[in-house]
Amino acid sequence: MLHHIHMKPGAQSSRTAQEADAPDVGQRIRRLREERGISLSELARRAGVGKATLSGLENGTRNPTLETLWAVTAGLGVPLALALGADPVIRGTAVEGVLLQVFEDESVTYELYRLVIPAGSTQVSPAHHEGVTEHLTVFAGVLVAGPRDAPLRAGPGEHLTWRSDVPHTYSAIGAQDVHASLLIRYPRR
């Protein structure tokens, strides 16, 4: 049975991973960690972040970066949307994404994003949990994306798919910004 959370079409939120309401994100991270019976030290180890950083994030005293949130949610084995809340705009080093919709069924959660990657910019994202895949369709610009060690190239109208349970990259090459959609598929653990 398919369940979904619908985000407002074209919704533009002023929230970003760096500007998100840190106490709310921190509370969500703590709740997710505690529901799974994972200690703060264990989650810090799994996510590859410092225990003090994770503690500050949970306490709402540190604003999380997108890369940190992806690492923490991967360590928890949950989709990013569970940490962010409703209709966020997320910004990483180079990628700006608008979460359009979250779909859930018995064994998989999907997040659908609209992405913009400025021309000439690159972002390396940490590995998601095991079995996560990304499916990206380029509408404008030229993108090199995928596993950091073996990225793929796509132009307008082309599609890329890769396992994102390894560090992966997004690079807008050429003079035009990349506009794309990204579907992230998270199998439930």
Side-chain angles (χ1 to χ4, degrees), residues 117-122 140-144 153-154 171-178:
I117 306 163
S121 64
T122 298
V142 178
L143 179 70
V144 172
R153 181 184 171 125
S171 296
I173 59 174
Q176 185 177 11
D177 293 350
V178 169

Side-chain angles (χ1 to χ4, degrees), residues 131-187:
V132 174
T133 56
E134 296 192 17
H135 310 268
L136 194 140
T137 302
V138 175
F139 300 109
V142 178
L143 179 70
V144 172
R148 186 173 52 192
D149 296 337
L152 308 162
R153 181 184 171 125
E158 295 178 323
H159 176 83
L160 302 175
T161 297
W162 68 89
R163 284 188 64 124
S164 54
D165 53 7
V166 297
H168 47 287
T169 186
Y170 308 86
S171 296
I173 59 174
Q176 185 177 11
D177 293 350
V178 169
H179 293 264
S181 68
L182 173 65
L183 182 70
I184 304 177
R185 181 185 180 276
Y186 298 91

